[in-house]
Amino acid sequence: MKVFCGRVNPTTGAVDWVEEDENYDYHQEIARSSYADMLHDKDRNEKYYHGIRAAVRRVKERGEEAVVLDIGTGTGLLSMMAVTAGADYCYAIEVFKPMADAAVKIVQTNGFSDKIKVINKHSTEVTVGPGGDMVRRANILITELFDTELIGEGALPSYEHAQRNLMQERWEAVPHRATVYAQLVESHRLWSWNKLFPIQLDCRTIQPPPEMQSCPGAPSVCDVQLSQLNPGDFTPLSDIMVIFRVDFSQHISSSAASHPVNFTSATNGAAQVVLSWWDIDMDPEGTINCSMKPSWLYPRLHPVPWRDHWMQCVYFLPEEKKVAQGEELCLTAHQDDYCIWYSLTKPSTEEDSPAFSEHPACRCGAHINWNRARFGELNDQSRMEKYKKALKKILTPSSVCLCVSDGSLLPLLAHSIGAARVYTMESSSMSQHLMEKLFQTNHLKEAIQIVQKSPDKVTAADLGDSKVSALIGEPFFTTSLLPWHNLYFWYSRSALSGNMTKDCTVLPLSASLYVLAVEFRDLWRIRSPCRSCEGFDVSIMDEMIKKSLDFRESQEAEPHPLWEYPCRALSDPTKVMTFDFRETVPTDDVKTEGSVNLVRPGMCHGVVLWMEYQLTEDISVSTGLLQVDDETGDCQWYPHSKQGIYFLSSLLDLRPGSSHSHSSVTYQLTFHPQLGDLRMSFTPDS
């Protein structure tokens, strides 16, 4: 049996449906999951165990048998903890069949089959009674249904159903309660992920369309490793506030609700962003606490737990609001079954109930067309200055300029510099509509013409019966996931050859693929084997992950924003392949092989890949590495692009005292022009 899966095709800039093996989705779910991350989260695991042991003790002290309901059991780890803590029986529910099958094997391997029943159903489908999934109701409810936003995985409806249908009249809950915290801040950096800023050109300022500035923005939360945000990147306008609590030992309602909190503004500023996180108390007394707070809230030298399955939240207010120091304000969290969002108002009286705000949804199209990183990239003034400088070198008053990139500001730069005619090619009607509004707002609708055709369909008539003398691009395309997917620009350039003058200038001139061997501080955990966890044998899980990582798709690089994930350079950055945009795409495969020497001690976890674009002979822009500290090897990464990460299947230990003294990583790379695909292999050598 075959299945069809969407994959980016750089030759067309589109997402194609590709026939894959029937186990494709299964392997991807396992390989890309956070199971390894959670198994390595020692802080989480220990807190859960202490909370479970305390709950079992409280039930036993009442003279009752301890019957556990574990919703979302995953590997079965929490159920095994419960039995070890003295629980009499556990019902472990897991809806994802491959994980449920794994849990059965793990439970059996650890000798708990007689006390743990794994149920492969959604918890709302579980039945109780003779012939049912559960013989009797439970009196201990253990769950790990949380995401970065706390409720985004449908925790509240699942709790509501379980408490009403699967639990006894009195039950213990682990965790016992959750608390959501928030802080209102002003942040130019974070706000640049949500709004397009005015663009200063030589002779005028480009203004964003009014509907873009008043748009509530994207409906989804922005989850991020706030620990990697410099505290100097934001100004607190409030103290850290408790927004609301959820007591899991009481009946929960999943109905929509609002949670207003009155506060006094700490300083003058522009209210733009809400930073938020949560913690969970595993026991009623709150002595066993697991917190998601960012690292800069921990005492100096205090160990900070790292986890990628739970991060922190950035929420954007619908509009920026000026606030004054000492001003009385009300920050309200609005919540439905799956989402949280915020509004800022004047305080309401006790008689007034807070008005429920509709869930924000993009009305302008920009937040649908551009992701957070793209907003940041468009607002990156230093990057824009490089493009402006490069365009001034190549454009003349007679230039016929065509831009090939999605939602790019380069046509505006080209027009301001004085090109005779400017055209821009948009790959979708949504992108076309967005750019039309931008041009119209700035009275440039007649000056910049939009061509909404694929490059191979463009005719001379589309270009005013002229030929292009300057083909430009960032390049950026909304379908791109990995750095080399933007090579669609190269394919477009090749398709447009008949519409270009013989001496047509192409910007960028070329793209170069770079690689760097690195040691991750923490990111390695998401792919690291874990044969034992808290004393339990989970090697089956290790084998499943390894098997999935051996699957074809999982052997390729995967995208990650490395500014969030600190790492050290163990090698020098190495240019491994160059794509010359002045020439058309070749017909034959392009192959390269070699090795990168590891010049610093450390544990080599993987290889980072990124593109650097040569705009002109002396101006380049990088989508990856910006700087390496000579002493420590700490890397600084471009924050508005994701880099490609290839995790090594076997690690190289070059730390002091290890058996390896000199080592390298061998690479083999093949670019398949017919597919637009980059296949790669990296192998550590000792």
Side-chain angles (χ1 to χ4, degrees):
M1 178 181 173
K2 297 290 184 179
V3 296
F4 289 90
C5 303
R7 299 190 70 197
V8 173
N9 184 342
T11 67
T12 63
V15 176
D16 291 345
W17 291 101
V18 180
E19 191 175 61
E20 297 283 4
D21 182 88
E22 64 177 328
N23 293 319
Y24 177 89
D25 284 338
Y26 158 74
H27 286 294
Q28 289 305 290
E29 181 72 21
I30 296 296
R32 305 296 189 222
S33 70
S34 295
Y35 292 119
D37 179 20
M38 289 186 284
L39 292 174
H40 281 287
D41 191 344
K42 189 170 181 63
D43 177 72
R44 161 196 176 270
N45 298 337
E46 288 181 346
K47 300 289 176 59
Y48 261 101
Y49 178 66
H50 291 310
I52 290 168
R53 187 172 60 180
V56 170
R57 183 177 63 250
R58 291 194 298 274
V59 169
K60 293 285 189 178
E61 287 173 352
R62 296 198 294 265
E64 303 174 16
E65 286 191 337
V67 182
V68 171
L69 175 64
D70 175 11
I71 301 179
T73 194
T75 60
L77 176 65
L78 301 185
S79 288
M80 293 189 294
M81 286 182 177
V83 172
T84 302
D88 296 284
Y89 201 78
C90 292
Y91 296 101
I93 300 174
E94 176 56 53
V95 69
F96 182 43
K97 190 176 188 309
M99 275 310 307
D101 293 342
V104 169
K105 294 177 183 177
I106 291 172
V107 165
Q108 186 176 19
T109 298
N110 288 275
F112 293 118
S113 296
D114 59 333
K115 288 200 171 185
I116 299 176
K117 179 183 179 181
V118 178
I119 303 170
N120 179 212
K121 286 185 177 181
H122 194 283
S123 63
T124 57
E125 299 171 343
V126 171
T127 57
V128 180
D133 301 304
M134 298 170 60
V135 175
R136 53 183 168 165
R137 292 186 176 221
N139 55 11
I140 299 178
L141 176 58
I142 300 174
T143 57
E144 207 277 51
L145 298 172
F146 315 117
D147 68 348
T148 293
E149 202 172 14
L150 183 69
I151 64 174
E153 292 185 1
L156 297 184
S158 296
Y159 268 110
E160 184 176 30
H161 176 272
Q163 291 169 350
R164 295 182 184 278
N165 299 281
L166 306 177
M167 304 304 296
Q168 298 175 20
E169 288 187 8
R170 183 180 182 184
W171 70 86
E172 302 289 336
V174 182
H176 182 81
R177 77 175 65 84
T179 304
V180 174
Y181 302 87
Q183 184 174 37
L184 182 68
V185 304
E186 174 183 355
S187 172
H188 182 274
R189 178 176 179 180
L190 296 179
W191 197 238
S192 75
W193 297 352
N194 185 55
K195 301 290 184 184
L196 183 63
F197 295 161
I199 307 152
Q200 187 62 49
L201 303 180
D202 290 340
C203 56
R204 64 182 298 179
T205 301
I206 298 297
Q207 296 292 342
E211 57 265 43
M212 189 184 296
Q213 298 308 90
S214 62
C215 180
S220 58
V221 66
C222 178
D223 55 344
V224 68
Q225 293 281 2
L226 275 184
S227 295
Q228 300 311 314
L229 196 68
N230 187 331
D233 284 334
F234 62 89
T235 301
L237 302 180
S238 75
D239 293 332
I240 296 170
M241 300 175 283
V242 173
I243 299 298
F244 65 91
R245 288 191 168 95
V246 183
D247 189 336
F248 301 121
S249 67
Q250 303 295 321
H251 281 290
I252 287 174
S253 171
S254 61
S255 301
S258 294
H259 310 278
V261 178
N262 294 337
F263 70 99
T264 302
S265 176
T267 187
N268 299 329
Q272 300 166 327
V273 176
V274 176
L275 308 181
S276 180
W277 56 89
W278 49 267
D279 65 20
I280 42 180
D281 290 322
M282 298 297 183
D283 61 330
E285 297 77 22
T287 59
I288 309 169
N289 179 268
C290 186
S291 177
M292 306 311 121
K293 65 185 178 184
S295 60
W296 26 267
L297 290 178
Y298 281 83
R300 187 173 177 272
L301 302 180
H302 190 284
V304 179
W306 183 88
R307 44 181 73 95
D308 205 43
H309 53 104
W310 296 330
M311 293 188 278
Q312 295 84 37
C313 302
V314 171
Y315 296 95
F316 301 100
L317 293 179
E319 289 188 82
E320 175 182 291
K321 291 188 177 182
K322 297 293 183 183
V323 300
Q325 183 176 5
E327 185 177 357
E328 297 297 321
L329 297 163
C330 178
L331 183 67
T332 302
H334 308 277
Q335 156 250 311
D336 59 18
D337 284 3
Y338 295 93
C339 301
I340 298 171
W341 61 98
Y342 285 85
S343 63
L344 182 67
T345 60
K346 292 291 185 181
S348 57
T349 63
E350 292 185 7
E351 292 78 17
D352 296 332
S353 58
F356 184 77
S357 167
E358 290 297 323
H359 192 275
C362 177
R363 298 190 299 259
C364 70
H367 303 89
I368 299 172
N369 209 51
W370 300 333
N371 59 23
R372 313 286 193 200
R374 181 56 174 166
F375 269 100
E377 192 170 48
L378 293 172
N379 287 320
D380 185 343
Q381 195 60 42
S382 62
R383 175 180 175 274
M384 199 58 61
E385 286 298 323
K386 286 189 175 183
Y387 279 98
K388 186 190 300 184
K389 185 177 178 181
L391 287 173
K392 284 182 176 180
K393 285 178 175 284
I394 69 164
L395 296 180
T396 68
S398 61
S399 295
V400 177
C401 185
L402 173 61
C403 178
V404 181
S405 280
D406 287 345
S408 177
L409 302 180
L410 295 194
L412 299 166
L413 293 181
H415 177 266
S416 72
I417 289 168
R421 274 184 281 173
V422 180
Y423 299 88
T424 182
M425 187 174 293
E426 299 297 334
S427 63
S428 69
S429 57
M430 183 178 296
S431 183
Q432 176 186 358
H433 183 60
L434 181 61
M435 297 311 291
E436 281 178 346
K437 287 194 291 186
L438 180 61
F439 299 156
Q440 187 173 15
T441 299
N442 292 279
H443 310 290
L444 294 171
K445 194 170 182 181
E446 302 302 323
I448 304 175
Q449 302 296 313
I450 296 176
V451 180
Q452 196 195 352
K453 283 187 175 182
S454 59
D456 58 320
K457 297 292 194 301
V458 173
T459 66
D462 298 316
L463 302 170
D465 294 322
S466 299
K467 290 204 170 187
V468 176
S469 61
L471 182 70
I472 65 174
E474 301 184 44
F476 170 84
F477 302 97
T478 55
T479 56
S480 298
L481 299 175
L482 288 159
W484 44 93
H485 289 165
N486 285 323
L487 287 176
Y488 175 58
F489 177 81
W490 200 15
Y491 289 88
S492 299
R493 175 259 180 272
S494 301
L496 288 164
S497 293
N499 293 295
M500 297 162 57
T501 62
K502 287 185 178 181
D503 58 350
C504 179
T505 302
V506 180
L507 181 152
L509 300 173
S510 63
S512 295
L513 180 67
Y514 281 80
V515 300
L516 180 75
V518 299
E519 175 186 59
F520 287 111
R521 183 194 299 173
D522 297 298
L523 189 62
W524 60 270
R525 301 173 197 272
I526 69 174
R527 297 289 172 266
S528 178
C530 186
R531 304 190 66 82
S532 175
C533 182
E534 304 305 318
F536 301 107
D537 183 352
V538 292
S539 56
I540 293 169
M541 201 55 220
D542 184 22
E543 293 165 10
M544 287 176 64
I545 293 174
K546 185 178 185 303
K547 184 177 179 181
S548 295
L549 291 174
D550 287 339
F551 194 64
R552 178 186 60 77
E553 173 78 1
S554 302
Q555 288 179 308
E556 300 170 0
E558 55 189 77
H560 290 281
L562 283 191
W563 75 268
E564 294 186 55
Y565 303 106
C567 61
R568 294 175 57 246
L570 300 187
S571 73
D572 293 326
T574 303
K575 184 193 298 186
V576 294
M577 194 173 279
T578 296
F579 309 93
D580 190 345
F581 297 153
R582 291 167 293 190
E583 304 293 333
T584 57
V585 177
T587 55
D588 296 332
D589 290 353
V590 180
K591 297 183 179 181
T592 185
E593 60 182 37
S595 62
V596 291
N597 294 323
L598 304 185
V599 297
R600 288 187 181 86
M603 179 73 77
C604 186
H605 296 117
V607 176
V608 183
L609 303 95
W610 71 94
M611 287 290 205
E612 185 170 303
Y613 294 101
Q614 201 68 40
L615 303 185
T616 61
E617 294 294 348
D618 59 342
I619 302 174
S620 64
V621 292
S622 176
T623 64
L625 187 67
L626 299 180
Q627 187 177 334
V628 175
D629 186 289
D630 290 336
E631 293 186 9
T632 65
D634 291 342
C635 300
Q636 180 184 347
W637 299 95
Y638 184 63
H640 307 309
S641 292
K642 290 184 178 181
Q643 292 73 42
I645 316 297
Y646 186 102
F647 289 97
L648 297 177
S649 56
S650 58
L651 307 182
L652 258 181
D653 188 353
L654 296 179
R655 293 172 296 185
S658 69
S659 58
H660 300 105
S661 55
H662 301 284
S663 219
S664 61
V665 175
T666 298
Y667 60 83
Q668 292 180 323
L669 297 164
T670 303
F671 176 66
H672 300 283
Q674 302 303 317
L675 303 174
D677 198 8
L678 186 67
R679 294 296 173 87
M680 63 193 69
S681 172
F682 292 92
T683 308
D685 294 327
S686 57

